[in-house]
Amino acid sequence: MSDRLRTALAFFLIVCILLLWMFLGRKNTQPAEPVEPIARDTVEHALTDSTVHALPEETLDDDSVVIDQEHIMVVLSNRGGAVKSFVLKDYDIDIVPSQKSLFSSLSSEGTLLPFEPTIEGDTVRLLYRNESLVITKTYIFDDAYGFRLLVDVPAGYRHLLSLKSGLRVTEEKNSGEDLRHFNVYVKQDNVTSIKGKVKDTYEVRGNIVWFGLRTKYFLLATNTTGVLDRITFYKLDKNETAQVTDIEINRALFGCYYWRGGGNRYGAEVHIQDDIQFDVKLLPVQYGFLAQYKEGYEQVTSGGILGPISRLFLAIFNLLYALFKNYGLAIIVFAICIKLVFFPLSRQMIKSQHRMQMIQPELKKLQQKHKDDPQRLNQEMMHLYKTYKVNPFTGCLPLVVQMPIFFALYQTLISSIEFRHAPFMLWITDLSFKDPYYILPIAMGVMMLVQSFLTTVDPRQRYMTIIMPLFMVFIFLNFPSGLQLYWFSYNILTLAEHIMIKRGGMK
């Protein structure tokens, strides 16, 4: 096999791996505080706009109830006895879509039932009554990140509790990437993602321990105590009640996100026919934080086979953040550490590349001499490699070894809530979002181009010297700026390494 064909094949394999990863691929500057018992907080009956001046007007009805606690703020509506707003204050997000509601009680015609609210301490009771039917919904706010919901209905009466509006897109400047992480989970015997099963609708029956709706960074988990008749899950159009425009989605489709951008939202309807209790929590998708509940919530962050590596990297980033108070600096230091770990391997690679440069004249003579005898040419080339102790495949080894690290790092930087809105410096104000001016990916491409010119002497490979950096720039355009910063830093170190080894000779 000729060097030209071998190089083209290596490039083709790299492209295939990257494209396959992107096709199959699926984070708050401060980590969330641990859950701890809280004192009873204020519950206000909002009858005037001045009582809830911090809330949008469309959030309130004539008879809304505002519950403002340390970590959450919830607005309950008398229309449907529903949750009109559910704010996670630590992260400044509202998970309920605008002018929609969750846990709404519907009539048989699908309209919202009117409830009358009363307040007793940290409990809000909503009552619906007509001549033949009484329904009571009781919200108890005794949890730091959520509430208990008790629904009392006449025995045998089929009642529909709707979460069909789904969850709001919280990452508005990166809507397509947020939507790509929307998912649905159900725990029966095990925690299962059923996103792939929800074509239009999908029904789950049986012993349901909890079900969850997930965005990129947040999980609405609902545990059940009692017998559920069934839950119907719905796939919602990505634009439906999500305040996401086609333009915003298409922005995410440029570059690498062409295969990965966008997705669908999901809603649910709970069918009940007896008294039941729900334990509802709005939680950041953070492995250690979710694991302390011992309910299996942390499994929504699994990350596949690279999950353990990704969590290890995140622990290292958090340790470095504790030292530098800047995740951008933590990423640069991490790149230096990775370069040091792989220095012996990359040193061998660079030496091998230099030896290949040295024997290029001999290779050209052999190719000219045996151009009509490919078998003899192969034998002579292998003899030449053995004589000069050159392994033509050594250059690929560091890349192959680092691919799992790169993908695990990608998984860490793109989905960890620690990097959400985490600034670095100057124009980089959010390490979970792309470089708004594309400075980092372009600088990275320039670095790769310089490095390629320093190591490539075969004129037949010059086109690869230009194409590969351009391809990598295109791939990296919309990656999180944290990943761009890592790869840029790593390439600077690699370039310095090439220069240092070249000046130091081949000893």
Side-chain angles (χ1 to χ4, degrees), residues 65-257:
V65 178
V66 179
I67 300 90
D68 193 357
Q69 297 186 335
E70 180 182 358
H71 297 290
I72 63 172
M73 181 167 62
V74 179
V75 179
L76 302 178
S77 171
N78 64 314
R79 297 175 62 244
V83 175
K84 189 73 172 176
S85 176
F86 197 167
V87 176
L88 190 55
K89 295 165 68 174
D90 298 340
Y91 297 90
D92 193 26
I93 59 99
D94 185 354
I95 208 66
V96 184
S98 178
Q99 301 183 25
K100 297 294 179 179
S101 59
L102 300 175
F103 301 99
S104 308
S105 292
L106 304 180
S107 68
S108 57
E109 292 80 22
T111 59
L112 294 172
L113 296 176
F115 284 78
E116 296 180 2
T118 58
I119 302 169
E120 300 174 6
D122 61 359
T123 300
V124 180
R125 184 168 288 105
L126 297 110
L127 177 66
Y128 169 79
R129 184 195 303 271
N130 65 19
E131 295 179 355
S132 58
L133 178 63
V134 176
I135 300 174
T136 304
K137 298 176 71 173
T138 306
Y139 290 85
I140 304 174
F141 293 89
D142 56 358
D143 186 275
Y145 289 89
F147 53 83
R148 285 183 290 145
L149 170 58
L150 286 66
V151 183
D152 297 325
V153 298
Y157 172 77
R158 291 187 176 273
H159 182 66
L160 192 64
L161 198 65
S162 178
L163 294 85
K164 195 174 179 180
S165 59
L167 304 185
R168 179 196 292 258
V169 172
T170 62
E171 312 310 302
E172 296 177 356
K173 67 180 179 181
N174 200 5
S175 304
E177 180 62 20
D178 195 12
L179 283 165
R180 189 176 69 84
H181 286 81
F182 274 54
N183 210 328
V184 187
Y185 296 89
V186 173
K187 181 178 181 181
Q188 293 176 296
D189 294 328
N190 300 296
V191 178
T192 307
S193 167
I194 61 171
K195 175 180 178 177
K197 299 179 181 179
V198 187
K199 304 305 180 183
D200 292 307
T201 64
Y202 181 75
E203 193 170 277
V204 177
R205 293 176 180 261
N207 180 31
I208 299 172
V209 180
W210 61 265
F211 67 94
L213 301 177
R214 182 199 165 166
T215 70
K216 180 179 181 180
Y217 293 124
F218 305 101
L219 172 69
L220 183 69
T222 303
N223 286 56
T224 62
T225 303
V227 179
L228 280 179
D229 184 20
R230 65 185 187 275
I231 302 179
T232 304
F233 294 97
Y234 296 85
K235 180 194 290 185
L236 309 176
D237 182 81
K238 65 185 68 174
N239 298 322
E240 182 184 346
T241 70
Q243 295 180 316
V244 181
T245 67
D246 289 331
I247 293 176
E248 288 173 324
I249 296 294
N250 291 333
R251 283 186 190 139
L253 301 183
F254 183 66
C256 64
Y257 285 179

Side-chain angles (χ1 to χ4, degrees), residues 414-479:
I414 203 168
S415 61
S416 296
I417 199 169
E418 285 84 353
F419 296 98
R420 179 181 183 261
H421 299 172
F424 172 44
M425 60 184 294
L426 301 176
W427 73 98
I428 304 297
T429 59
D430 186 350
L431 289 167
S432 70
F433 188 57
K434 66 181 181 181
D435 182 338
Y437 304 111
Y438 302 108
I439 295 174
L440 283 175
I442 293 173
M444 178 202 72
V446 172
M447 284 299 201
M448 292 184 66
L449 191 61
V450 172
Q451 180 181 322
S452 298
F453 278 122
L454 286 176
T455 58
T456 305
V457 295
D458 188 350
R460 296 171 301 173
Q461 297 182 13
R462 287 295 181 184
Y463 74 99
M464 294 294 296
T465 300
I466 298 173
I467 290 177
M468 188 61 176
L470 290 176
F471 174 76
M472 293 301 291
V473 169
F474 176 75
I475 289 294
F476 271 78
L477 279 179
N478 286 303
F479 275 176

Side-chain angles (χ1 to χ4, degrees), residues 259-270:
W259 295 273
R260 303 170 47 258
N264 291 94
R265 300 187 312 109
Y266 299 88
E269 288 183 336
V270 181

Side-chain angles (χ1 to χ4, degrees), residues 214-386:
R214 182 199 165 166
T215 70
K216 180 179 181 180
Y217 293 124
F218 305 101
L219 172 69
L220 183 69
T222 303
N223 286 56
T224 62
T225 303
V227 179
L228 280 179
D229 184 20
R230 65 185 187 275
I231 302 179
T232 304
F233 294 97
Y234 296 85
K235 180 194 290 185
L236 309 176
D237 182 81
K238 65 185 68 174
N239 298 322
E240 182 184 346
T241 70
Q243 295 180 316
V244 181
T245 67
D246 289 331
I247 293 176
E248 288 173 324
I249 296 294
N250 291 333
R251 283 186 190 139
L253 301 183
F254 183 66
C256 64
Y257 285 179
Y258 181 80
W259 295 273
R260 303 170 47 258
N264 291 94
R265 300 187 312 109
Y266 299 88
E269 288 183 336
V270 181
H271 304 260
I272 58 180
Q273 53 183 349
D274 205 346
D275 297 350
I276 194 168
Q277 175 178 312
F278 300 97
D279 187 5
V280 182
K281 291 179 174 62
L282 178 56
L283 306 170
V285 177
Q286 191 178 49
Y287 185 89
F289 184 83
L290 297 177
Q292 64 186 336
Y293 286 95
K294 303 186 186 304
E295 292 283 357
Y297 298 150
E298 70 278 4
Q299 294 186 42
V300 308
T301 70
S302 64
I305 60 175
L306 297 177
I309 303 177
S310 179
R311 290 192 290 274
L312 174 62
F313 287 170
L314 184 58
I316 296 173
F317 283 128
N318 287 333
L319 177 62
L320 294 172
Y321 177 81
L323 296 175
F324 300 106
K325 304 302 179 184
N326 185 301
Y327 275 111
L329 291 177
I331 290 171
I332 294 174
V333 173
F334 181 84
I336 295 172
C337 294
I338 292 295
K339 174 53 69 176
L340 290 174
V341 168
F342 284 100
F343 178 76
L345 193 60
S346 59
R347 184 170 179 268
Q348 287 300 117
M349 177 197 73
I350 295 171
K351 284 187 175 183
S352 179
Q353 289 174 340
H354 288 169
R355 290 194 185 102
M356 286 294 293
Q357 292 175 6
M358 291 169 59
I359 66 173
Q360 283 302 312
E362 296 296 325
L363 281 174
K364 289 179 180 179
K365 290 179 182 178
L366 290 175
Q367 290 166 353
Q368 185 64 31
K369 181 178 180 180
H370 302 290
K371 61 182 179 181
D372 297 325
D373 189 351
Q375 187 174 356
R376 179 68 184 275
L377 175 60
N378 236 11
Q379 292 174 351
E380 293 295 333
M381 287 174 61
M382 291 300 105
H383 178 71
L384 185 65
Y385 292 150
K386 185 177 181 179

